[in-house]
Amino acid sequence: MNSLTSRQLKALETREKLLKTSLELFNKHGYEYVSVEQITKACNVSKGTFYTHFPSKYDVILEKFKELDSFYSTVEKNIDRTLPASEKILLLYREQMKYLTNVVGKDLLRTMYTAAMTNQVEQDHYLISPQRKIFQIMNSYIEEGIELGEFRQDLKVTQMQTIIRRCMRANVYDWLIHNEDFDLATEMAQFTTIVLDGLKVK
């Protein structure tokens, strides 16, 4: 593989600086109150440079979500394939909640959620796109659970996925508005276990 040129290295450094500065400003002032002009001024670059790296300021937020999706791929590889589907889902969520708590943190996640809510959400919006890795993994576990008789068959995979996905969003939202005594991983496990029990064959 050819090494990067000095120009390419400079471009990567600029992109990283724009990403880091944008997130810091979003966290400090609120996503909706930060303009591209403020970001570029803080980085001492032109608006054109910003748009070379990010089509919009919202794409800065999406970059962080894509990092999360890369993390999910790693988690999937480490989950025991012989476990029941419900256990796999719980393990996936447990690792996700630990990552959100220890790596992403409340401030950044609050900024990401705020940005998602203030952006014009369309049907193919990235956060709800079925192409996201987390949803693909979840679908495979649900399909497996139905096929092996663990989950009920009167609901579609997409319906089950919606229910299970809302477990995550509800718990993350609660975590964001509670004090530090709210343990995200523990609350997620308890809540999701109850929901999954309702989806199992009795």
Side-chain angles (χ1 to χ4, degrees), residues 32-145:
E32 64 271 38
Y33 299 111
V34 176
S35 67
V36 170
E37 185 176 0
Q38 287 173 286
I39 296 167
T40 56
K41 190 173 288 187
C43 292
N44 197 30
V45 298
S46 67
K47 281 188 180 181
T49 298
F50 178 91
Y51 289 118
T52 296
H53 296 284
F54 301 102
S56 72
K57 68 174 187 174
Y58 190 66
D59 285 273
V60 173
I61 299 295
L62 291 186
E63 190 75 15
K64 299 308 293 183
F65 274 105
K66 289 171 184 175
E67 283 182 19
L68 283 174
D69 282 353
S70 176
F71 168 74
Y72 300 140
S73 297
T74 303
V75 172
E76 181 188 22
K77 292 174 185 175
N78 294 324
I79 292 178
D80 185 346
R81 295 186 179 185
T82 64
L83 291 172
S86 58
E87 290 298 314
K88 291 177 180 176
I89 291 170
L90 287 171
L91 283 172
L92 179 65
Y93 268 167
R94 184 189 73 186
E95 293 306 310
Q96 180 190 35
M97 296 307 108
K98 285 165 58 179
Y99 188 86
L100 292 180
T101 302
N102 301 321
V103 179
V104 178
K106 273 189 176 183
D107 290 339
L108 178 55
L109 196 65
R110 191 179 287 114
T111 298
M112 292 161 75
Y113 268 57
T114 300
M117 289 185 289
T118 55
N119 195 58
Q120 185 63 39
V121 178
E122 300 176 0
Q123 272 195 324
D124 60 350
H125 191 278
Y126 179 75
L127 297 183
I128 57 174
S129 169
Q131 301 307 311
R132 286 192 67 194
K133 186 63 179 177
I134 182 73
F135 300 151
Q136 292 177 356
I137 296 171
M138 195 69 71
N139 265 3
S140 68
Y141 291 160
I142 294 169
E143 288 170 354
E144 178 185 308

Side-chain angles (χ1 to χ4, degrees), residues 94 97 171 182-193:
R94 184 189 73 186
M97 296 307 108
N171 276 280
F182 189 99
D183 186 290
L184 182 56
T186 300
E187 295 291 339
M188 176 67 75
Q190 293 174 348
F191 189 85
T192 309
T193 296

